[in-house]
């Protein structure tokens, strides 16, 4: 069985979309893939309860309990390694990872970012797109490399920016697309035989 570990920080709606696709499409029997655990750097993240409702084991590790990024990442890696995952999926995981962590998971660490990369790496992507007058926004699934929000692009989806959009309305439109492309990208990763 190939294990998948999902890292979250918040509501976990992308995690849930992946878990529901895994259930619906029977990844366990068809691909030999199971979601082994959902881990959050925020113990209060609503996504943890959602994961438990979906029958997935959860773990939490507050980054506030560590004095450095390196110390946090070392323990996070140990918690992930308990599941010996073939793929680690960042789904709204709002921490910058150290080069050592990224190197360890090179080629098997993916992220979803709420913009059409390489445009708008970093935070506040929707407000920045609106402020610049973009007509199109979107989302990108990409391999994680040491450089923030860079790395080979695996999937993208575009949505229109509509007159009167706020960061919230645009984020909601982008999120509906994320829930489609992220499960597809994860499935494709395993179908390539990784
Ligand atoms: C998603 O829109 C994701 O693209 C974004 O956070 C949201 C998480 O939602 N990720 C980033 O901004 C990463 N820098 P979710 O917790 O409901 O999946």
């Amino acid at each position: 069985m190939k294990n998948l570990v999902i890292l979250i920080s918040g509501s976990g709606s992308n995690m849930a979309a992946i878990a529901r696709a895994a259930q619906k499409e029977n990844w366990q029997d068809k691909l030999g893939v199971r979601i082994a655990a959902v881990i959050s750097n925020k113990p209060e993240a609503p996504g943890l309860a959602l994961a438990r409702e979906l029958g997935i084991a959860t773990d939490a590790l507050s980054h506030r309990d560590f004095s450095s990024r390196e110390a946090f990442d070392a323990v996070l890696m140990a918690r992930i390694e308990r599941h010996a995952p073939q793929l680690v999926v960042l789904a709204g995981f709002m921490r910058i990872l150290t080069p050592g962590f990224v190197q360890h998971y090179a080629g098997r660490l993916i992220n979803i970012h709420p913009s059409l990369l390489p445009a708008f790496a970093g935070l506040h992507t929707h407000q920045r797109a609106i402020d610049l007058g973009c007509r199109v926004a979107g989302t990108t699934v990409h391999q994680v490399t040491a450089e923030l929000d860079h790395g080979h692009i695996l999937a993208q989806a575009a949505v229109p920016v509509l007159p009167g959009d706020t960061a919230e309305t645009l984020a909601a439109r982008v999120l509906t697309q994320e829930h489609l492309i992220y499960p597809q990208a994860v499935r494709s990763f395993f179908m390539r035989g990784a």
Side-chain angles (χ1 to χ4, degrees):
M1 192 59 69
K2 294 170 188 161
N3 278 351
L4 177 63
V5 168
I6 305 180
L7 305 187
I8 65 166
S9 300
S11 57
S13 70
N14 278 289
M15 172 281 298
I18 294 167
R20 291 192 179 110
Q23 233 156 30
K24 191 164 161 225
E25 298 164 10
N26 195 4
W27 290 3
Q28 195 142 334
D29 290 344
K30 296 224 168 91
L31 298 174
V33 171
R34 66 185 275 266
I35 302 172
V38 170
I39 305 177
S40 175
N41 66 308
K42 292 197 173 173
E44 72 282 9
L48 286 174
L50 184 54
R52 284 191 289 271
E53 278 169 31
L54 289 161
I56 305 167
T58 62
D59 195 359
L61 180 67
S62 177
H63 60 273
R64 295 180 194 281
D65 294 340
F66 296 85
S67 58
S68 70
R69 243 177 233 290
E70 285 73 17
F72 171 73
D73 278 11
V75 176
L76 177 62
M77 196 189 292
R79 298 282 187 94
I80 294 170
E81 284 307 302
R82 287 177 183 173
H83 308 284
Q86 257 73 20
L87 178 67
V88 177
V89 170
L90 308 181
F93 184 69
M94 303 303 281
R95 294 284 304 166
I96 292 174
L97 293 160
T98 53
F101 183 100
V102 171
Q103 184 55 41
H104 181 83
Y105 291 108
R108 53 194 180 107
L109 179 61
I110 66 175
N111 180 45
I112 192 159
H113 180 77
S115 76
L116 291 171
L117 290 174
F120 305 122
L123 296 174
H124 311 301
T125 54
H126 307 301
Q127 193 59 54
R128 286 157 67 201
I130 290 168
D131 290 349
L132 262 177
C134 291
R135 302 302 203 261
V136 174
T139 180
T140 304
V141 178
H142 64 99
Q143 297 267 9
V144 176
T145 57
E147 199 179 345
L148 182 70
D149 299 330
H150 279 65
H152 189 75
I153 290 171
L154 301 171
Q156 283 187 313
V159 301
V161 181
L162 299 176
D165 258 342
T166 61
E168 289 70 30
T169 59
L170 181 54
R173 193 173 309 121
V174 168
L175 205 54
T176 61
Q177 294 303 308
E178 295 193 324
H179 296 166
L180 299 176
I181 68 165
Y182 215 3
Q184 279 170 14
V186 172
R187 187 178 53 229
S188 301
F189 178 91
F190 286 107
M191 287 182 64
R192 284 196 305 271

